[in-house]
Amino acid sequence: MNGDPADGADAGDTAAAGSGGAGAGADGLEAGAGAGGAAGAGAGAGAAAAGLEAGAGAGGADAGHADVEAMSADGVPDGMAVDSHEADYVGSSGAESDDPNFAGVAFGSRALGDNASGDGALASAEPAVAPSGPVIPEVFPPTLREVMLRREWLGLLALCLIVAGVFAWLGQWQLDRAIDTNPPPAGATEEILPLDEVAGPGEYLPEPLVGQRVETQGVWVPGDFLIVSSRFNDGAEGYWVTGQLRLDNTDAATSVAVAIGWAATEEDARAAVEQLEADATVPASYVIAGRLISDETPVPPPHGGDPQAMSSLSTAALLSQWHDIEGLDVYRQYIASVEPLGGLVAIASPAPELANPINWLNIFYAAEWAIFGGFAFYLWYRLAKDQWEKEVEDLEDAAAEDAAGAGGGAARTAG
């Protein structure tokens, strides 16, 4: 379409050059290139909601735009410079536009398409959305194996190994004593041995030697014959009469308690004490044979009773009532004499039963140490697992907080 520039010009409304026209609306931009351009005579480009459209038309310019310069020789814009901060339109000739409707938009031959004859070619572009913040890599929780292989947990495992080794050694020590590999032969306690070969003053009596028959020699100490109640002899309750025997042929003063005999009544026991006291006034050496028995635990007298009364044969209780004990060595055990004196009855003292070669108490202790060793490893496993569970829970809580924050941001953006 051929047109006269003078015919299509309105005062302050339209400006056109060449055979093509470009127009821009309030919210968008539309460019058209056509076969000919007459001011206000052809079809024009209208306003779009958002975006960029290029098409072929009759060529017209909207009446609300300012003068557009720097068109190409064939009437098609060679290019427009896009800048979000400057409202300049730069054409191929280097001219600029001050119209804010053209600010930040660039046209080129590729945007308009290769068809300049107005056949309706259209191209559109949509800007990419950049991420709103820094990209955070996804963090995966550690496995239980990874936690256990850390340096601090391996060090704790080494400590548990040392502790378990100590427990194992203690268990082995208990097992060695649980089984007697060399028990005494039957009847070994019936062989009479010298007292000083079986035990010494202040020493404890080994289990295999309890009830061992021994023999010793010494003199009775006057004033130290004492009565012990609640003594049974073949099932009958009665009293024992005891005395302090000061041993002969010792480097230091040494004594041993002797259960001299049994009496059915307290009167009989007191009568025997009087006779023994009378015999002791004349110093004489006596050979005493009997069973060596470990002393008993002291029992306090009943309330309101005689504080000197004794119902158990405790060497410590006897020692508290003996005379001449300064610098005295005393045996912890006592001798149950097989030959009574002072008119007393012989004390029934059968041979001890053969001990079981297996000590179940020691076996029980050995099992305890084994359990303690296993518990050391379980404690290490439990602590490592607790640490792993805590780390996994912390990561899950952090992920939930991040998701909640992202959701809140999206809601604010939509609003």
Side-chain angles (χ1 to χ4, degrees), residues 56-408:
D62 189 39
H65 296 162
D67 293 339
V68 179
E69 296 180 357
M71 303 298 290
S72 61
D74 56 359
V76 180
D78 212 19
M80 301 184 72
V82 179
D83 188 86
S84 60
H85 302 290
E86 298 180 4
D88 295 336
Y89 167 59
V90 181
S92 61
S93 63
E96 298 182 357
S97 173
D98 293 333
D99 192 341
N101 292 318
F102 288 90
V105 181
F107 284 122
S109 60
R110 298 182 65 86
L112 293 173
D114 295 332
N115 188 359
S117 62
D119 58 357
L122 181 63
S124 63
E126 184 174 347
V129 179
S132 61
V135 178
I136 301 176
E138 185 176 0
V139 179
F140 294 96
T143 63
L144 179 59
R145 180 176 178 272
E146 291 174 344
V147 173
M148 289 180 173
L149 291 179
R150 292 175 183 172
R151 181 179 301 175
E152 59 271 21
W153 291 108
L154 290 178
L156 185 58
L157 177 60
L159 178 62
C160 291
L161 285 172
I162 296 174
V163 173
V166 173
F167 289 163
W169 177 80
L170 291 173
Q172 182 64 36
W173 181 79
Q174 291 288 352
L175 284 178
D176 290 342
R177 282 149 184 79
I179 301 176
D180 189 359
T181 58
N182 188 24
T189 58
E190 301 308 297
E191 180 184 358
I192 299 178
L193 301 175
L195 175 61
D196 56 0
E197 292 183 7
V198 177
E203 296 178 357
Y204 289 97
L205 189 63
E207 184 66 27
L209 296 177
V210 174
Q212 177 68 45
R213 297 188 67 175
V214 296
E215 184 179 72
T216 189
Q217 185 174 348
V219 296
W220 298 113
V221 177
D224 289 345
F225 295 100
L226 304 174
I227 298 175
V228 180
S229 62
S230 301
R231 301 288 95 182
F232 289 85
N233 207 50
D234 292 333
E237 185 176 0
Y239 300 84
W240 279 358
V241 176
T242 66
Q244 176 189 171
L245 184 67
R246 187 68 56 86
L247 301 181
D248 297 336
N249 304 319
T250 57
D251 296 335
T254 305
S255 293
V256 62
V258 178
I260 302 173
W262 180 84
T265 62
E266 186 175 0
E267 291 76 11
D268 294 341
R270 292 190 181 280
V273 168
E274 292 177 359
Q275 183 177 346
L276 291 170
E277 291 287 356
D279 295 339
T281 56
V282 179
S285 182
Y286 291 83
V287 176
I288 302 297
R291 295 193 184 277
L292 190 63
I293 302 174
S294 299
D295 68 335
E296 303 171 3
T297 303
V299 177
H303 181 70
D306 184 3
Q308 301 296 328
M310 294 180 293
S311 60
S312 66
L313 207 159
S314 170
T315 303
L318 294 174
L319 184 63
S320 65
Q321 300 186 43
W322 283 353
H323 300 84
D324 190 20
I325 60 174
E326 185 69 25
L328 182 66
D329 292 336
V330 180
Y331 279 81
R332 290 181 176 271
Q333 301 79 26
Y334 67 91
I335 299 175
S337 178
V338 296
E339 294 290 339
L341 300 174
L344 296 171
V345 178
I347 297 174
S349 180
E353 297 180 359
L354 188 62
N356 191 341
I358 299 177
N359 190 330
W360 292 104
L361 183 61
N362 289 94
I363 293 179
F364 173 75
Y365 290 152
E368 278 189 338
W369 287 120
I371 293 173
F372 292 158
F375 182 76
F377 289 105
Y378 173 77
L379 181 62
W380 172 81
Y381 167 78
R382 185 68 260 181
L383 291 175
K385 187 175 181 181
D386 289 345
Q387 177 65 25
W388 170 67
E389 291 176 348
K390 180 178 180 300
E391 292 183 9
V392 172
E393 184 178 354
D394 291 344
L395 289 176
E396 291 176 350
D397 293 343
E401 292 177 0
D402 293 344

